[in-house]
Amino acid sequence: MKDAHGRHVTGRVSWRKFAVLSVPAFAGTAALAIALANGALAASFAVSGQQFKVSAASLNGEGFAQYGGVDQNARGDLLPVAVTAIKKADLHKLCQSVVTTLPVIGDISLNLTAGGGKTPVKATDLFVDATQLSGNADFNNIEIGRDASTLDKGPATAQGMQDLFAQQADDINITDLKQTAWATNAATFRLSGLSMKISKGKKECF
């Protein structure tokens, strides 16, 4: 490289410019590390690379809380989610499906159903890390816009990061529930009338 006078000069780094460019990246990494340490990480396990679908004719829950979080897969990718947490939940006509595409074979669907009879699926301390949720919902004594770190109506560990938006209610009732999620976990999960099927092709709950 030549200067304005035509002389050869060696490449040099402007440490002031380097510092200016590095600080935002470092700050972002540090902020993420602090966020994860303070409870932004939702699921306590590495999630798979596939989302799954869950539907139910109805969900009746006691102790509802909802807040933002982050899931992480085995590759270290961070996945934003809306965490729905319920102390006690009854689900009627539960369906869960996931589709895997395999070489040569093509699409393979795994479908799980339960709670189709008089006895519903029952769960305690239920957490769902969802990216989409729809249905018809009724809440009892709902609080919208509460600080996520102060939630106290859902499961004991159902709290998010300080200053972030959250909502909670004494009770929740949803009909025609449809959601897409990265993860679900519960203290107990009792599936009456459980049926699981694997079939070729794309067969999803909705």
Side-chain angles (χ1 to χ4, degrees):
M1 184 173 65
K2 296 182 179 181
D3 62 12
H5 301 288
R7 295 173 298 186
H8 287 278
V9 295
T10 57
R12 290 179 293 179
V13 175
S14 169
W15 290 105
R16 182 175 295 178
K17 290 181 180 179
F18 177 79
V20 170
L21 294 173
S22 299
V23 167
F26 176 78
T29 303
L32 179 60
I34 293 172
L36 295 179
N38 286 325
L41 200 60
S44 58
F45 52 86
V47 302
S48 76
Q50 297 176 278
Q51 294 192 71
F52 56 93
K53 292 185 176 181
V54 178
S55 66
S58 65
L59 180 153
N60 302 307
E62 299 178 12
F64 163 83
Q66 191 173 64
Y67 53 94
V70 178
D71 280 349
Q72 188 172 26
N73 62 23
R75 297 177 183 274
D77 300 324
L78 300 177
L79 311 165
V81 295
V83 180
T84 298
I86 303 174
K87 277 186 178 181
K88 295 180 180 179
D90 289 351
L91 299 99
H92 292 269
K93 295 183 179 179
L94 173 70
C95 174
Q96 178 178 302
S97 66
V98 62
V99 178
T100 302
T101 302
L102 300 175
V104 182
I105 298 176
D107 290 336
I108 299 294
S109 297
L110 184 151
N111 288 75
L112 180 151
T113 58
K118 293 183 178 180
T119 304
V121 171
K122 292 182 175 291
T124 60
D125 289 349
L126 175 67
F127 288 80
V128 180
D129 300 351
T131 57
Q132 175 274 331
L133 184 151
S134 65
N136 306 302
D138 290 318
F139 300 90
N140 184 32
N141 293 328
I142 190 169
E143 299 172 354
I144 301 173
R146 182 164 177 146
D147 189 297
S149 68
T150 68
L151 295 171
D152 57 8
K153 291 188 176 184
T157 58
Q159 292 183 336
M161 291 179 59
Q162 186 174 0
D163 296 329
L164 292 191
F165 174 92
Q167 55 186 359
Q168 65 176 5
D170 290 344
D171 305 304
I172 180 172
N173 297 288
I174 304 178
T175 57
D176 194 23
L177 170 67
K178 295 181 178 69
Q179 59 186 358
T180 305
W182 284 112
T184 296
N185 63 281
T188 62
F189 205 42
R190 297 176 181 173
L191 295 92
S192 59
L194 172 64
S195 173
M196 185 183 75
K197 296 180 180 179
I198 296 178
S199 56
K200 291 187 66 174
K202 196 171 185 178
K203 300 177 182 178
E204 298 180 284
C205 296
F206 60 91

